[in-house]
């Protein structure tokens, strides 16, 4: 069905969902600071993405350690998390507070340096690609940029490296492995919470809004905005490039996807046999999955201890 055959209300819904899929409607500020969780030894850092976009982050330090976790985040969050509890516009997505700094603090206290950075068009990092988020299709360049920064740094380049790559950041990391595998050969392991299939997520949103029969039109609107179709933003296309030990978690009854099918499919396509998948149960809220390791860090710490 073409756009002119839709009711004004349904067309507006399709266009809203298309914009939600490819263009962050707001930035989440860096609203939690390291000091809020007792981290006082850290540096604010900045470095270019592979295509020159200026990225900003923190180097949170663990005295005497030679172990480093590089951490990124989902769309539309920042390295600090998500402030849905502040109200609109963030609460239009979810009214929950997500605290990533709490997770970084668990890691620092366990003896890991953490380099947490904002992806392009998020947090304090630079704008690029017309403000479009590719759910990894542009952001893989940021994963390359941070690895180049680490390799060129006189202290960080001496450390064993693990990755904490979330949602959009996990998709981006998968594609970075595919495009620049030589950069990541020495990475010891990855933890990948909630890698996201946009085809599954946006189809679920469309069903909730009663426009699921108009997915082709939604794709068209996304491309008009300068983005990608939903199928082009699926992590499965690059999952085979993941060759280091990888621990995925997913919300089993995630209302926004068709889990467990989609998460299991991504997991099964990983190119590593050293892999683990944990299903977060007892909630249908996807955003609860992002707080999981802040509240229950033990499995995260055990995973990194095993490989780092």
């Amino acid at each position: 069905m073409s756009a002119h055959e839709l009711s004004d209300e349904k067309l507006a819904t399709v266009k809203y969902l298309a914009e939600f899929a490819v263009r962050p409607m707001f930035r989440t500020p860096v609203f939690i600071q390291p000091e809020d969780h007792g981290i006082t030894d850290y540096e604010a850092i900045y470095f270019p993405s592979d295509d020159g976009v200026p990225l900003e982050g923190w180097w949170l330090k663990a005295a005497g350690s030679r172990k480093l976790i590089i951490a990124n985040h989902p769309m539309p969050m920042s390295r600090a998390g998500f402030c849905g509890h502040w109200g609109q516009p963030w609460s239009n997505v979810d009214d929950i507070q997500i605290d990533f700094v709490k997770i970084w603090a668990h890691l620092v206290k366990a003896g890991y340096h953490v380099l947490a950075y904002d992806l392009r068009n998020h947090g304090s990092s630079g704008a690029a690609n017309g403000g479009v988020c590719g759910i990894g299709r542009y952001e893989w360049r940021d994963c390359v940029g941070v690895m180049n920064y680490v390799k060129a740094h006189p202290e960080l380049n001496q450390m064993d490296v693990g990755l904490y790559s979330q949602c959009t950041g996990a998709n981006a990391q998968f594609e970075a492995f595919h495009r620049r595998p030589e950069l990541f050969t020495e990475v010891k392991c990855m933890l990948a919470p909630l890698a996201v299939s946009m085809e599954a997520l946006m189809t679920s949103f469309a069903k909730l809004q009663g426009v699921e029969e108009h997915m082709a039109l939604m794709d068209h609107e996304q491309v008009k905005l300068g983005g990608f179709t939903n199928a082009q933003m699926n992590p499965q296309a690059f999952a085979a490039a993941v060759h280091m030990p990888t621990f995925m978690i997913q919300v089993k009854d995630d209302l926004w996807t068709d889990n467990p099918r989609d998460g299991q499919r991504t997991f099964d396509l990983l190119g590593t046999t050293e892999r683990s998948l944990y299903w977060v149960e007892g909630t249908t809220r996807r955003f609860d999955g992002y707080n999981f390791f802040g509240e229950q860090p033990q499995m995260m710490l055990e995973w990194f201890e095993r490989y780092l």
Side-chain angles (χ1 to χ4, degrees), residues 30-31 50 99 116 126 169 171 214 221 264 279 283 289 303-304 306:
V30 181
F31 68 103
D50 191 47
D99 185 348
N171 290 24
H214 304 301
E221 292 295 327
Q264 187 68 53
W279 294 107
T283 181
W303 178 260
F304 285 127
R306 184 183 311 168

Side-chain angles (χ1 to χ4, degrees), residues 193-205:
L194 287 82
V196 59
S197 166
M198 287 300 283
E199 199 168 23
L201 187 140
M202 295 311 299
T203 298
S204 295
F205 280 176

Side-chain angles (χ1 to χ4, degrees), residues 102-113:
K102 188 174 185 179
I103 299 173
W104 314 152
H106 286 311
L107 291 168
V108 169
K109 289 170 187 174
Y112 301 96
H113 297 265

Side-chain angles (χ1 to χ4, degrees), residues 197-266:
S197 166
M198 287 300 283
E199 199 168 23
L201 187 140
M202 295 311 299
T203 298
S204 295
F205 280 176
K207 287 179 180 177
L208 291 170
Q209 297 294 327
V211 292
E212 66 269 24
E213 69 272 27
H214 304 301
M215 294 304 298
L217 179 59
M218 188 189 301
D219 280 340
H220 180 61
E221 292 295 327
Q222 289 171 199
V223 173
K224 283 167 60 178
L225 289 167
F228 298 88
T229 69
N230 288 302
Q232 289 172 329
M233 295 187 287
N234 288 347
Q236 292 92 353
F238 304 105
V242 180
H243 290 297
M244 71 276 297
T246 297
F247 179 19
M248 287 179 53
I249 71 165
Q250 292 279 341
V251 174
K252 187 172 185 179
D253 298 316
D254 186 347
L255 187 64
W256 289 359
T257 70
D258 64 350
N259 274 349
R261 186 198 71 85
D262 187 66
Q264 187 68 53
R265 179 172 176 241
T266 301

Side-chain angles (χ1 to χ4, degrees), residues 3 19 21 37 44 64 66 81 98 122 139 156 168:
E19 186 161 5
H37 286 288
R66 293 173 62 87
I98 297 170
H122 291 79
E139 295 77 13
L156 296 174
T168 294

